[in-house]
Amino acid sequence: QKEVEQNSGPLSVPEGAIASLNCTYSDRGSQSFFWYRQYSGKSPELIMFIYSNGDKEDGRFTAQLNKASQYVSLLIRDSQPSDSATYLCAVIKPRGYNQGGKLIFGQGTELSVKP
Amino acid sequence: GAGVSQSPSNKVTEKGKDVELRCDPISGHTALYWYRQSLGQGLEFLIYFQGNSAPDKSGLPSDRFSAERTGGSVSTLTIQRTQQEDSAVYLCASRPTSGAYNEQFFGPGTRLTVL
């Protein structure tokens, strides 16, 4: 079982719709969760991070975390063609000796927003 | 200010040769990470440097891979006796000591092709 799992997609949504991206993780001790966006041929860029159960909103983006279900999601409202990219979910491994700050990434979900 | 820079941007080498990849982190960032991304795959953690602490080498795939960080700044990833399966984009990221926990800033990457 991979430590962080995502549906590879591609996920296709029409412009203006809500895109829902999902991620599960295996280690119950994981503490922090991140969503990165990666355009083709480019480096990942941070969109959002979330630490606490519940929702966190930032503009058109909402991150949702459910630690009991080991599940984190990203909702993109009013999707735009410019949102078309690969979205990477990442978690921080529990801190131990010399373990601080190591992100474990999922495989990424490719999102395509059709005009 | 300047972001994370990496050189070279592209490297083509023959199987069995050694290669060196360089990363210049953002000035003042104490944490530096190396990741590898194969075509269509997520990011695979390789190694992590934090200040003067011993590096976390738990992600290095074999003893052909090594990395060093001189003076707490520039880092070099060395791959000895390259194999075709080493072909990937090698990404470097750095993180400040303060600010959003573990907000990593990625460089543009080095695309390595082993013929």
Side-chain angles (χ1 to χ4, degrees):
Chain A
Q1 180 187 10
K2 293 180 181 176
E3 293 185 78
V4 181
E5 297 211 47
Q6 298 180 251
N7 187 327
S8 62
L11 173 65
S12 183
V13 300
E15 184 174 357
I18 295 176
S20 178
L21 303 161
N22 304 316
C23 173
T24 57
Y25 58 95
S26 60
D27 192 330
R28 283 196 172 275
S30 299
Q31 298 170 344
S32 306
F33 308 86
F34 301 80
W35 284 100
Y36 282 80
R37 177 176 62 198
Q38 187 175 28
Y39 291 112
S40 180
K42 302 295 185 181
S43 298
E45 55 181 334
L46 182 67
I47 298 176
M48 293 191 71
F49 55 89
I50 186 167
Y51 307 144
S52 304
N53 274 327
D55 296 358
K56 179 181 179 182
E57 186 175 319
D58 184 1
R60 296 187 296 113
F61 299 95
T62 298
Q64 299 175 316
L65 175 60
N66 183 326
K67 290 188 177 182
S69 301
Q70 296 174 242
Y71 173 92
V72 58
S73 66
L74 179 70
L75 301 178
I76 306 174
R77 291 181 299 280
D78 188 23
S79 296
Q80 301 297 309
S82 59
D83 294 326
S84 298
T86 296
Y87 289 79
L88 299 163
C89 172
V91 306
I92 289 186
K93 290 281 284 180
R95 296 200 67 152
Y97 176 73
N98 204 23
Q99 290 284 314
K102 182 170 72 175
L103 287 183
I104 305 297
F105 284 85
Q107 296 293 89
T109 298
E110 182 183 351
L111 173 66
S112 177
V113 181
K114 303 295 186 184
Chain B
V4 178
S5 62
Q6 293 185 246
S7 61
S9 55
N10 281 284
K11 177 70 175 179
V12 180
T13 190
E14 295 179 347
K15 178 181 174 181
K17 301 282 189 182
D18 297 352
V19 295
E20 285 190 351
L21 312 179
R22 176 186 168 106
C23 173
D24 280 274
I26 294 173
S27 178
H29 283 194
T30 60
L32 186 148
Y33 306 77
W34 283 98
Y35 293 88
R36 177 169 72 174
Q37 188 171 35
S38 300
L39 186 63
Q41 302 298 307
L43 274 72
E44 175 188 5
F45 167 81
L46 297 177
I47 189 169
Y48 159 54
F49 296 89
Q50 173 65 60
N52 295 322
S53 301
D56 177 355
K57 304 179 182 180
S58 60
L60 295 178
S62 78
D63 59 7
R64 296 187 295 105
F65 288 72
S66 63
E68 63 177 21
R69 189 179 184 192
T70 54
S73 181
V74 172
S75 177
T76 302
L77 177 69
T78 302
I79 309 173
Q80 295 178 312
R81 305 181 303 282
T82 52
Q83 304 295 310
Q84 289 182 332
E85 60 262 30
D86 299 334
S87 296
V89 175
Y90 289 80
L91 288 160
C92 174
S94 70
R95 175 173 66 87
T97 53
S98 60
Y101 182 65
N102 215 67
E103 181 177 356
Q104 295 183 331
F105 297 85
F106 283 87
T110 293
R111 182 176 298 277
L112 175 65
T113 303
V114 182
L115 301 177

